[in-house]
Amino acid sequence: RARATRGLRAARTRPRPCSSLSPRREGNRRRDRTTAPGAAWSTVRTHTMAGKQKISYFYDPDVGNFYYGQGHPMKPHRVRMTHNLLLHYGIYKEMELFRPALASAEDMTQFHSDEYVEFLRLITPDNQHEHMRQLKRFNCAEDCPVFDGLFNFCQIYTGGSVGGAVRLNHKQTDTVVNWAGGLHHAKKNEASGFCYINDIVLAILELLKAHQRVLYIDIDIH
């Protein structure tokens, strides 16, 4: 959990409120891609009691659809499973729910190199055989395979972390939760340890726009 944050380009990464808080309707929400960058948005109804901390929870229902491949230990579907637990135990009632705005390539190059981000944007399972040199250069191999929707996956989890940092910087929340984020192994010019875009670094850079220092505590279970 990051404490504190302002806009990765507030207009670009400003989160869109989830349209439904009901567990029953959660899987049937209409996905709205028509909102223009910088368009006005409003927070969803909050269930937070007076005096309690405000918690912003970022979740995109598409995140559980991405698949690293057979036998790979990284399984984004677990994020969806965790989300369902929050719904069915009623924990969502204590939080404001947001669908993250997608991080752009420009957002990602606040830390990563232009060439690397462009590679992630263009590479697919169908064309990867044409880019063997780049696959080796950017370390996209067994641990970090090329799979369908790779760049979109990066946009979703990065958008959640940076969007959360924006809300913290603007003092719109006390705590942010983004189960899909935390892909901390990614390097400036290459993928590493199941991670492609380092949303942690990008969120910290965002937090530093409003705070002198950021304490980052990494809990990585192996």
Side-chain angles (χ1 to χ4, degrees):
R1 294 187 307 189
R3 294 236 172 205
T5 168
R6 202 191 264 157
L8 174 86
R9 282 157 223 286
R12 193 179 297 276
T13 59
R14 190 170 287 169
R16 286 173 295 195
C18 280
S19 56
S20 168
L21 295 179
S22 169
R24 187 172 300 171
R25 296 172 53 198
E26 179 69 16
N28 298 318
R29 295 180 309 194
R30 180 176 64 86
R31 188 172 186 79
D32 184 2
R33 291 295 190 191
T34 62
T35 304
W41 59 282
S42 59
T43 58
V44 294
R45 172 185 168 199
T46 176
H47 294 261
T48 308
M49 299 293 289
K52 286 188 177 181
Q53 287 196 341
K54 292 182 66 175
I55 302 173
S56 296
Y57 170 55
F58 285 75
Y59 175 74
D60 189 308
D62 286 349
V63 74
N65 296 333
F66 298 102
Y67 182 57
Y68 274 61
Q70 186 173 4
H72 199 289
M74 180 69 167
K75 303 181 187 302
H77 176 62
R78 291 170 179 163
V79 177
R80 177 182 290 157
M81 295 171 66
T82 303
H83 176 72
N84 287 336
L85 287 175
L86 265 67
L87 294 176
H88 292 291
Y89 279 102
I91 300 174
Y92 72 95
K93 297 177 181 179
E94 304 298 324
M95 304 183 289
E96 292 179 310
L97 277 63
F98 295 93
R99 177 182 288 129
L102 300 180
S104 69
E106 182 182 0
D107 296 332
M108 297 172 186
T109 56
Q110 299 302 305
F111 170 64
H112 295 283
S113 68
D114 293 349
E115 287 182 301
Y116 175 54
V117 172
E118 183 67 3
F119 165 78
L120 292 178
R121 190 178 71 83
L122 297 177
I123 198 70
T124 68
D126 292 334
N127 68 17
Q128 62 178 329
H129 67 279
E130 303 171 6
H131 303 279
M132 300 306 295
R133 182 177 298 179
Q134 289 97 324
L135 287 171
K136 184 176 181 180
R137 175 185 175 187
F138 297 124
N139 195 36
C140 286
E142 293 183 2
D143 277 359
C144 302
V146 175
F147 55 85
D148 285 330
L150 171 59
F151 189 69
N152 187 227
F153 174 61
C154 295
Q155 289 181 295
I156 290 172
Y157 74 75
T158 301
S161 295
V162 176
V166 170
R167 288 187 62 77
L168 287 167
N169 279 352
H170 288 172
K171 303 186 185 303
Q172 295 169 323
T173 191
D174 299 301
T175 301
V176 173
V177 177
N178 176 28
W179 299 130
L183 278 75
H184 59 150
H185 289 302
K187 301 176 183 178
K188 182 179 181 69
N189 296 303
E190 65 179 59
S192 179
F194 315 163
C195 308
Y196 303 87
I197 293 296
N198 197 319
D199 61 300
I200 295 298
V201 170
L202 292 171
I204 290 174
L205 290 174
E206 187 62 36
L207 290 170
L208 288 172
K209 293 178 181 179
H211 305 275
Q212 286 189 329
R213 294 187 297 176
V214 175
L215 173 63
Y216 168 50
I217 301 175
D218 191 324
I219 302 174
D220 194 352
I221 301 175
H222 288 283

